[in-house]
Amino acid sequence: MDFQLRWTYKSHGRNLDFQSAFTNGKEALLIAEDLLKTGRLKEITFVDEMDQSWTLKEMKKLLQEVKEQPHYVKAYFDGGFDLSTKKAGVGAVIYYRQNGKNYRLRSSTSFDELDSNNEAEYAAFHYAVKQLEELGVHHLPVTFLGDSKVVLKQLAGEWPCYEESFNRWLDRIEEALKDLHIKPTYTHIARKENEEADTLAAQAMHGKEISSTYEIE
């Protein structure tokens, strides 16, 4: 999680307000400590990407807690549908940092009740959110990446959705994100950049489901 510093600095009898660019929590604390050494710091606040404010004491406690929880999360998703068998598969690949180490979670499952490849894409996004919930991701910004431009644009509110069945998926996704207090960023990527999630979805569609977590060196 990144933070912005906002502080009041006393100079020549005047109080001046400043704010920084966003930076990681560790660096934000180091900057705050440097400002304190000047003896001119009147007040300092840390504001995270969710627009929540923290005092210096709260910030130190938060960073210790965050270190033990998943953060810097990126979630890739993809869905597929086999018209001949009426089987759908979805895949999710989640990259995150926890306790100073980087991890990759790979997961997939199949569906029998979906009707099209488009619906599989919505189901895949919802599945990725549920994986985040199981991982313990909450009150954090998360970047979602996929090659389904329609799903991402509709979730971002940039494109309308006229299909009732797809709207139901959008409602489920938005409710799940709200429950977890996740601040989403939607990023459309080329299919070749989404190969891992695509492979997981294809394997699940043909009966091979995956669930694994690896530490990334």
Side-chain angles (χ1 to χ4, degrees), residues 64 124 126 152 155 208 213:
Q64 184 57 41
H126 185 263
L152 293 166
L155 283 167
K208 184 180 179 181
T213 301

Side-chain angles (χ1 to χ4, degrees), residues 201-217:
Q203 291 174 337
M205 191 165 48
H206 296 100
K208 184 180 179 181
E209 299 184 353
I210 301 290
S211 180
S212 62
T213 301
Y214 299 94
E215 182 184 343
I216 303 171
E217 298 295 338

Side-chain angles (χ1 to χ4, degrees), residues 29 55-66:
L29 273 182
T55 65
L56 181 59
K57 183 178 179 180
E58 291 170 337
M59 181 69 173
K60 290 178 179 179
K61 182 180 179 182
L62 174 68
L63 286 188
Q64 184 57 41
E65 293 174 351
V66 166

Side-chain angles (χ1 to χ4, degrees), residues 56-149:
L56 181 59
K57 183 178 179 180
E58 291 170 337
M59 181 69 173
K60 290 178 179 179
K61 182 180 179 182
L62 174 68
L63 286 188
Q64 184 57 41
E65 293 174 351
V66 166
K67 183 180 177 182
E68 299 167 2
Q69 297 172 354
H71 52 284
Y72 293 118
V73 184
K74 290 185 176 182
Y76 293 76
F77 71 96
D78 200 17
F81 182 77
D82 189 327
L83 190 60
S84 61
T85 63
K86 305 296 182 183
K87 273 270 191 181
V90 300
V93 183
I94 299 170
Y95 291 87
Y96 62 97
R97 187 167 179 80
Q98 187 173 24
N99 288 319
K101 297 179 181 179
N102 297 310
Y103 294 93
R104 178 185 63 181
L105 180 154
R106 300 168 69 245
S107 188
S108 62
T109 192
S110 60
F111 287 87
D112 293 316
E113 66 272 18
L114 305 185
D115 295 322
S116 67
N117 191 77
N118 285 339
E119 187 175 10
E121 294 283 6
Y122 293 94
F125 194 108
H126 185 263
Y127 178 74
V129 177
K130 300 310 287 183
Q131 295 307 299
L132 293 174
E133 181 178 15
E134 291 185 17
L135 189 58
V137 175
H138 57 87
H139 293 82
L140 286 174
V142 175
T143 300
F144 292 92
L145 306 99
D147 55 68
S148 176
K149 194 172 186 178

Side-chain angles (χ1 to χ4, degrees), residues 14 36 39 44 48 66 99-100 125 144 151 165-166 176 198 202 212:
R14 292 191 305 157
L36 282 167
I44 189 162
D48 64 27
V66 166
N99 288 319
F125 194 108
F144 292 92
V151 172
S165 60
F166 297 164
D198 176 66
S212 62

Side-chain angles (χ1 to χ4, degrees), residues 76 78 146-147 188-199:
Y76 293 76
D78 200 17
D147 55 68
H188 177 249
I189 57 176
R191 191 168 187 81
K192 64 181 180 180
E193 297 177 71
N194 204 30
E195 233 176 84
E196 196 169 13
D198 176 66
T199 299

